[in-house]
Amino acid sequence: MSTTISQAESARIESAIQAAVSGSWEEFAKLTDEPFPNDASMKEQFEDSYPRLKQARGNWQMTSDIGIVPEDGTRVITVILKAPPNVDIVLTLHSTSDRDDSAISIWTFFQQLNLDD
């Protein structure tokens, strides 16, 4: 099992970021292959986070990490967009595999304070 982001996962991450930058909840919501556990909560996370990304105008540093779930080999992908001065946007996805036909679901999209800057 690969611990690098696949092409399908990378494309989904990029699409989620672009939907957020454009402020389109409808486009963002279409990008999850499994329904959100709580639509209202996810929409609230989106509405809180997308203005920050829009304001950053692409001026962010993106890092990512992949954790493999031992029980089933699925992948939890955490993407952090460091958007100065001190707020990071965290996007968490779940992917069934590193193959192109993987089911990819969005789990979280929230802001976190970064006091390291």
Side-chain angles (χ1 to χ4, degrees):
M1 182 65 62
S2 172
T3 56
T4 58
I5 294 178
S6 72
Q7 277 191 312
E9 293 162 344
S10 181
R12 188 70 55 96
I13 291 165
E14 184 62 31
S15 294
I17 292 169
Q18 290 310 312
V21 169
S22 73
S24 175
W25 165 251
E26 291 77 19
E27 288 302 314
F28 186 84
K30 289 179 190 175
L31 295 172
T32 189
D33 292 337
E34 295 290 325
F36 298 128
N38 182 327
D39 281 343
S41 175
M42 184 58 75
K43 187 170 185 182
E44 185 176 306
Q45 289 178 46
F46 179 84
E47 289 175 348
D48 286 346
S49 299
Y50 91 80
R52 182 71 191 108
L53 283 183
K54 193 170 193 161
Q55 179 186 19
R57 296 186 188 130
N59 181 30
W60 56 71
Q61 197 175 26
M62 186 169 82
T63 61
S64 60
D65 190 33
I66 299 175
I68 307 298
V69 179
E71 292 78 20
D72 60 8
T74 61
R75 302 153 58 82
V76 177
I77 303 165
T78 304
V79 177
I80 299 176
L81 301 167
K82 291 188 175 292
N86 59 2
V87 175
D88 297 341
I89 306 296
V90 180
L91 173 65
T92 308
L93 302 101
H94 179 259
S95 181
T96 56
S97 75
D98 58 359
R99 297 190 325 249
D100 286 343
D101 63 349
S102 172
I104 302 170
S105 303
I106 298 173
W107 279 3
T108 66
F109 184 67
F110 63 91
Q111 294 184 55
Q112 81 179 8
L113 194 57
N114 179 347
L115 299 176
D116 295 336
D117 290 342

